[in-house]
Amino acid sequence: LAGHEHEQTFRGIGPADELRALGIPVVHDLPGVGKNFQDHMDVYLTAETAPVSYNGEDRWDKAVRHGIQYLLYKTGPVTACVAEAGAFVSSSPDVRSPDIQIHCLPAYVVDHGRMRIKGHGVTINTCNLRPRSVGSVTLRSADPMAEPAIDPAFLQDPYDWTISMEAFERGREILNAPAFKGLIKKEAMPGAGVTTPDGIRAYIKQWSKTDYHPVGSCKMGSDETAVVDTQLRVHGIDGLRVIDASIMPTLISGNTSAPSIMIGEKGA
Protein backbone atom coordinates (compact mmCIF):
# COMPACT_ATOMS: atom_id res chain seq x y z
CA LEU A 1 0.00 0.00 0.00
CA ALA A 2 1.38 3.37 -0.98
CA GLY A 3 -0.15 6.78 -1.52
CA HIS A 4 -1.21 10.05 0.02
CA GLU A 5 -3.88 11.07 2.47
CA HIS A 6 -6.71 11.09 -0.09
CA GLU A 7 -5.30 8.79 -2.73
CA GLN A 8 -4.13 5.22 -2.33
CA THR A 9 -2.43 2.95 -4.81
CA PHE A 10 -2.50 -0.77 -4.09
CA ARG A 11 0.29 -2.89 -5.49
CA GLY A 12 0.42 -6.61 -5.85
CA ILE A 13 2.63 -9.64 -5.24
CA GLY A 14 1.46 -12.63 -7.24
CA PRO A 15 0.75 -13.79 -10.79
CA ALA A 16 1.62 -10.68 -12.84
CA ASP A 17 -0.91 -11.30 -15.60
CA GLU A 18 -3.79 -11.64 -13.12
CA LEU A 19 -2.77 -8.47 -11.28
CA ARG A 20 -2.38 -6.40 -14.44
CA ALA A 21 -5.74 -7.61 -15.73
CA LEU A 22 -7.30 -5.92 -12.70
CA GLY A 23 -5.22 -2.77 -13.06
CA ILE A 24 -3.01 -3.57 -10.07
CA PRO A 25 0.67 -2.53 -10.43
CA VAL A 26 2.98 -5.50 -9.95
CA VAL A 27 5.61 -5.29 -7.21
CA HIS A 28 6.81 -8.84 -7.73
CA ASP A 29 5.70 -11.56 -10.15
CA LEU A 30 5.16 -14.67 -8.02
CA PRO A 31 3.09 -17.19 -10.01
CA GLY A 32 2.31 -19.50 -7.10
CA VAL A 33 0.32 -17.02 -5.03
CA GLY A 34 -3.26 -18.29 -4.83
CA LYS A 35 -2.47 -21.54 -6.61
CA ASN A 36 -2.21 -25.05 -5.12
CA PHE A 37 -5.28 -24.38 -2.93
CA GLN A 38 -6.56 -27.50 -1.16
CA ASP A 39 -9.31 -28.16 1.34
CA HIS A 40 -11.07 -31.10 2.97
CA MET A 41 -14.66 -31.72 1.89
CA ASP A 42 -17.29 -32.82 4.39
CA VAL A 43 -19.96 -35.36 3.36
CA TYR A 44 -22.51 -35.94 6.10
CA LEU A 45 -25.47 -38.15 6.88
CA THR A 46 -28.20 -37.51 9.44
CA ALA A 47 -30.71 -39.73 11.20
CA GLU A 48 -33.80 -39.15 13.30
CA THR A 49 -33.38 -40.46 16.84
CA ALA A 50 -35.11 -40.97 20.13
CA PRO A 51 -34.91 -37.89 22.43
CA VAL A 52 -31.21 -38.38 23.23
CA SER A 53 -29.63 -35.59 21.17
CA TYR A 54 -28.59 -32.00 21.87
CA ASN A 55 -31.29 -30.64 19.58
CA GLY A 56 -33.39 -28.05 21.39
CA GLU A 57 -30.89 -27.69 24.23
CA ASP A 58 -30.03 -24.17 23.03
CA ARG A 59 -33.52 -22.88 23.80
CA TRP A 60 -33.19 -19.87 26.11
CA ASP A 61 -34.58 -21.56 29.23
CA LYS A 62 -32.47 -24.69 28.77
CA ALA A 63 -29.42 -22.63 27.83
CA VAL A 64 -29.70 -20.68 31.10
CA ARG A 65 -29.94 -23.90 33.08
CA HIS A 66 -26.95 -25.39 31.26
CA GLY A 67 -24.96 -22.21 31.86
CA ILE A 68 -25.64 -22.34 35.60
CA GLN A 69 -24.72 -26.04 35.68
CA TYR A 70 -21.42 -25.28 34.02
CA LEU A 71 -20.61 -22.37 36.31
CA LEU A 72 -21.34 -24.46 39.42
CA TYR A 73 -20.04 -27.89 38.44
CA LYS A 74 -18.15 -27.55 35.13
CA THR A 75 -20.39 -30.28 33.66
CA GLY A 76 -23.26 -30.54 31.19
CA PRO A 77 -23.88 -29.68 27.52
CA VAL A 78 -21.82 -26.47 27.70
CA THR A 79 -18.70 -28.64 28.00
CA ALA A 80 -19.50 -30.43 24.74
CA CYS A 81 -17.75 -29.66 21.45
CA VAL A 82 -20.65 -31.35 19.55
CA ALA A 83 -18.18 -33.64 17.75
CA GLU A 84 -18.39 -36.21 20.54
CA ALA A 85 -16.62 -39.11 18.83
CA GLY A 86 -14.29 -39.61 15.90
CA ALA A 87 -12.49 -42.24 13.91
CA PHE A 88 -9.84 -42.66 11.27
CA VAL A 89 -10.40 -45.51 8.80
CA SER A 90 -8.75 -46.78 5.64
CA SER A 91 -10.71 -46.76 2.40
CA SER A 92 -8.93 -49.97 1.34
CA PRO A 93 -5.99 -52.18 2.39
CA ASP A 94 -3.91 -50.48 -0.31
CA VAL A 95 -3.60 -47.03 1.33
CA ARG A 96 -0.49 -46.24 3.41
CA SER A 97 -2.50 -44.94 6.37
CA PRO A 98 -6.11 -44.04 7.19
CA ASP A 99 -7.49 -41.71 4.52
CA ILE A 100 -11.01 -41.18 5.86
CA GLN A 101 -11.92 -39.20 8.97
CA ILE A 102 -15.31 -39.54 10.65
CA HIS A 103 -16.93 -37.32 13.29
CA CYS A 104 -20.09 -38.27 15.16
CA LEU A 105 -22.35 -35.47 16.37
CA PRO A 106 -25.35 -36.08 18.69
CA ALA A 107 -27.39 -33.36 16.98
CA TYR A 108 -28.67 -32.33 13.57
CA VAL A 109 -25.82 -30.27 12.07
CA VAL A 110 -26.87 -29.47 8.50
CA ASP A 111 -25.07 -26.78 6.49
CA HIS A 112 -22.76 -26.20 9.47
CA GLY A 113 -25.76 -25.73 11.74
CA ARG A 114 -27.34 -22.95 9.73
CA MET A 115 -30.36 -25.12 8.86
CA ARG A 116 -32.66 -25.80 11.80
CA ILE A 117 -34.40 -29.19 11.86
CA LYS A 118 -37.17 -30.09 14.28
CA GLY A 119 -36.94 -33.13 16.50
CA HIS A 120 -33.94 -35.14 17.66
CA GLY A 121 -31.19 -36.41 15.43
CA VAL A 122 -27.54 -37.30 14.92
CA THR A 123 -25.04 -36.40 12.22
CA ILE A 124 -22.17 -38.45 10.85
CA ASN A 125 -19.49 -36.37 9.10
CA THR A 126 -17.14 -38.13 6.69
CA CYS A 127 -14.05 -36.67 5.03
CA ASN A 128 -11.57 -37.75 2.35
CA LEU A 129 -8.31 -36.79 4.05
CA ARG A 130 -6.02 -36.86 1.02
CA PRO A 131 -7.94 -35.32 -1.88
CA ARG A 132 -6.18 -34.99 -5.21
CA SER A 133 -8.24 -32.07 -6.50
CA VAL A 134 -6.40 -28.75 -6.42
CA GLY A 135 -8.09 -25.35 -6.65
CA SER A 136 -7.18 -21.69 -6.45
CA VAL A 137 -7.76 -18.34 -4.75
CA THR A 138 -7.99 -15.36 -7.11
CA LEU A 139 -8.89 -11.68 -6.88
CA ARG A 140 -12.25 -10.43 -8.11
CA SER A 141 -11.23 -6.79 -8.31
CA ALA A 142 -8.60 -4.24 -7.31
CA ASP A 143 -10.61 -3.45 -4.17
CA PRO A 144 -8.65 -4.98 -1.26
CA MET A 145 -11.87 -5.27 0.75
CA ALA A 146 -13.65 -7.33 -1.91
CA GLU A 147 -14.02 -11.02 -1.15
CA PRO A 148 -11.71 -13.22 -3.24
CA ALA A 149 -12.90 -16.02 -5.47
CA ILE A 150 -12.13 -19.26 -3.62
CA ASP A 151 -12.41 -22.42 -5.73
CA PRO A 152 -11.39 -25.64 -3.95
CA ALA A 153 -12.21 -27.66 -7.09
CA PHE A 154 -13.91 -30.28 -4.92
CA LEU A 155 -14.30 -33.68 -6.66
CA GLN A 156 -12.55 -32.49 -9.81
CA ASP A 157 -10.33 -35.58 -9.65
CA PRO A 158 -12.27 -38.86 -10.12
CA TYR A 159 -10.25 -40.42 -7.30
CA ASP A 160 -11.87 -38.05 -4.84
CA TRP A 161 -15.29 -39.30 -5.88
CA THR A 162 -14.20 -42.87 -5.11
CA ILE A 163 -12.99 -42.05 -1.61
CA SER A 164 -15.90 -39.73 -0.78
CA MET A 165 -18.43 -42.39 -1.73
CA GLU A 166 -16.55 -45.01 0.27
CA ALA A 167 -16.53 -42.66 3.26
CA PHE A 168 -20.28 -42.15 2.84
CA GLU A 169 -20.84 -45.91 3.04
CA ARG A 170 -18.71 -46.12 6.19
CA GLY A 171 -20.87 -43.42 7.75
CA ARG A 172 -23.99 -45.35 6.82
CA GLU A 173 -22.54 -48.46 8.48
CA ILE A 174 -22.28 -46.51 11.74
CA LEU A 175 -25.92 -45.41 11.56
CA ASN A 176 -26.97 -49.01 10.95
CA ALA A 177 -24.83 -50.49 13.73
CA PRO A 178 -26.76 -52.92 15.98
CA ALA A 179 -25.72 -50.95 19.07
CA PHE A 180 -27.88 -48.03 17.92
CA LYS A 181 -31.00 -50.08 17.23
CA GLY A 182 -33.80 -48.59 19.27
CA LEU A 183 -32.13 -45.18 19.38
CA ILE A 184 -32.04 -44.40 15.67
CA LYS A 185 -35.49 -44.29 14.11
CA LYS A 186 -34.59 -43.72 10.47
CA GLU A 187 -31.98 -42.18 8.20
CA ALA A 188 -33.03 -38.62 7.43
CA MET A 189 -30.38 -37.43 4.95
CA PRO A 190 -30.19 -38.65 2.29
CA GLY A 191 -32.66 -41.33 3.42
CA ALA A 192 -32.52 -45.11 3.25
CA GLY A 193 -34.10 -45.04 -0.21
CA VAL A 194 -31.00 -43.45 -1.74
CA THR A 195 -28.89 -46.51 -2.57
CA THR A 196 -27.72 -46.23 -6.18
CA PRO A 197 -24.34 -44.72 -7.07
CA ASP A 198 -26.07 -42.00 -9.09
CA GLY A 199 -28.36 -41.16 -6.19
CA ILE A 200 -25.49 -40.96 -3.72
CA ARG A 201 -23.44 -38.84 -6.12
CA ALA A 202 -26.35 -36.42 -6.54
CA TYR A 203 -26.71 -36.16 -2.76
CA ILE A 204 -22.99 -35.49 -2.27
CA LYS A 205 -23.00 -32.81 -4.98
CA GLN A 206 -25.92 -31.04 -3.30
CA TRP A 207 -24.97 -31.26 0.37
CA SER A 208 -21.18 -31.60 0.75
CA LYS A 209 -19.43 -28.64 2.39
CA THR A 210 -15.99 -27.36 3.27
CA ASP A 211 -14.41 -28.81 6.41
CA TYR A 212 -12.63 -25.47 6.96
CA HIS A 213 -9.13 -26.87 6.40
CA PRO A 214 -7.80 -24.59 3.63
CA VAL A 215 -4.08 -24.86 2.87
CA GLY A 216 -1.54 -24.52 0.10
CA SER A 217 -2.12 -21.15 -1.57
CA CYS A 218 1.27 -19.77 -0.44
CA LYS A 219 3.14 -23.05 -0.38
CA MET A 220 6.58 -23.55 1.08
CA GLY A 221 9.30 -24.87 -1.21
CA SER A 222 11.91 -24.06 -3.81
CA ASP A 223 10.16 -24.81 -7.12
CA GLU A 224 8.74 -22.17 -9.44
CA THR A 225 5.28 -22.28 -7.83
CA ALA A 226 6.56 -21.98 -4.24
CA VAL A 227 5.75 -18.71 -2.45
CA VAL A 228 7.86 -18.99 0.71
CA ASP A 229 11.11 -20.73 1.65
CA THR A 230 11.71 -23.01 4.63
CA GLN A 231 12.01 -19.96 6.88
CA LEU A 232 8.61 -18.75 5.62
CA ARG A 233 10.21 -15.80 3.81
CA VAL A 234 8.41 -14.74 0.63
CA HIS A 235 10.64 -15.50 -2.36
CA GLY A 236 12.08 -12.34 -3.89
CA ILE A 237 10.82 -9.92 -1.23
CA ASP A 238 12.88 -8.77 1.75
CA GLY A 239 11.26 -8.51 5.18
CA LEU A 240 8.02 -10.34 4.35
CA ARG A 241 6.87 -13.70 5.68
CA VAL A 242 3.68 -15.76 5.49
CA ILE A 243 2.96 -17.66 8.71
CA ASP A 244 -0.25 -19.67 8.51
CA ALA A 245 -1.74 -22.85 7.03
CA SER A 246 -1.44 -21.52 3.48
CA ILE A 247 2.27 -22.41 3.50
CA MET A 248 1.53 -26.16 3.71
CA PRO A 249 2.44 -27.70 0.32
CA THR A 250 -0.18 -30.45 0.80
CA LEU A 251 -3.06 -31.21 3.11
CA ILE A 252 -2.35 -33.35 6.15
CA SER A 253 -4.35 -36.49 7.00
CA GLY A 254 -6.37 -34.82 9.73
CA ASN A 255 -7.47 -31.50 11.22
CA THR A 256 -5.26 -28.51 10.48
CA SER A 257 -5.67 -26.67 13.80
CA ALA A 258 -2.66 -28.08 15.68
CA PRO A 259 -0.25 -27.75 12.72
CA SER A 260 -1.43 -24.17 12.20
CA ILE A 261 -0.67 -23.37 15.83
CA MET A 262 2.80 -24.89 15.42
CA ILE A 263 3.44 -22.90 12.24
CA GLY A 264 2.53 -19.76 14.18
CA GLU A 265 4.79 -20.72 17.09
CA LYS A 266 7.73 -21.54 14.83
CA GLY A 267 7.22 -18.40 12.78
CA ALA A 268 7.03 -16.23 15.89
Side-chain angles (χ1 to χ4, degrees):
L1 168 64
H4 304 288
E5 184 179 355
H6 301 293
E7 182 180 349
Q8 295 178 334
T9 301
F10 292 93
R11 306 178 187 278
I13 300 171
D17 55 346
E18 295 181 15
L19 293 169
R20 293 192 184 106
L22 295 172
I24 302 173
V26 178
V27 170
H28 182 49
D29 181 14
L30 205 55
V33 174
K35 312 306 178 188
N36 190 52
F37 181 82
Q38 300 155 62
D39 192 9
H40 284 142
M41 189 186 78
D42 185 25
V43 177
Y44 51 89
L45 304 89
T46 69
E48 181 184 348
T49 70
V52 294
S53 76
Y54 283 137
N55 286 101
E57 295 301 316
D58 57 348
R59 247 180 40 186
W60 75 268
D61 54 338
K62 292 185 178 182
V64 170
R65 185 170 70 248
H66 297 325
I68 295 172
Q69 179 183 352
Y70 175 76
L71 290 173
L72 293 177
Y73 308 109
K74 297 296 187 289
T75 61
V78 176
T79 66
C81 68
V82 180
E84 297 296 309
F88 290 91
V89 298
S90 297
S91 61
S92 75
D94 301 325
V95 297
R96 61 173 173 81
S97 63
D99 56 347
I100 294 171
Q101 186 175 21
I102 295 174
H103 284 111
C104 306
L105 293 69
Y108 280 124
V109 183
V110 178
D111 191 17
H112 302 301
R114 289 182 293 228
M115 181 179 293
R116 307 283 289 189
I117 298 177
K118 293 182 178 179
H120 287 273
V122 295
T123 304
I124 305 294
N125 288 353
T126 69
C127 173
N128 169 18
L129 290 173
R130 295 193 286 276
R132 296 180 181 177
S133 300
V134 177
S136 63
V137 180
T138 54
L139 297 177
R140 295 179 186 269
S141 74
D143 179 3
M145 302 306 294
E147 294 180 350
I150 302 174
D151 179 14
F154 285 147
L155 302 172
Q156 191 174 75
D157 191 303
Y159 176 82
D160 293 347
W161 268 113
T162 300
I163 305 303
S164 292
M165 293 185 72
E166 178 65 23
F168 173 90
E169 294 296 347
R170 299 300 180 91
R172 186 168 261 176
E173 286 177 18
I174 293 174
L175 290 180
N176 292 324
F180 294 133
K181 194 172 183 180
L183 293 174
I184 292 181
K185 295 181 178 180
K186 64 178 181 179
E187 184 179 303
M189 294 175 66
V194 179
T195 57
T196 66
D198 286 346
I200 295 171
R201 286 173 69 98
Y203 170 75
I204 290 174
K205 286 181 70 174
Q206 181 178 358
W207 289 101
S208 59
K209 303 290 183 182
T210 174
D211 228 350
Y212 295 112
H213 295 166
V215 308
S217 56
C218 288
K219 80 169 189 175
M220 178 173 60
S222 57
D223 62 77
E224 62 182 14
T225 60
V227 176
V228 300
D229 64 13
T230 56
Q231 299 299 309
L232 308 186
R233 297 171 297 199
V234 175
H235 290 299
I237 297 290
D238 291 335
L240 180 62
R241 281 178 165 88
V242 176
I243 307 175
D244 58 34
S246 68
I247 64 96
M248 297 183 191
T250 59
L251 266 170
I252 62 167
S253 300
N255 292 60
T256 53
S257 177
S260 297
I261 293 169
M262 285 305 302
I263 290 168
E265 292 284 355
K266 295 287 285 185

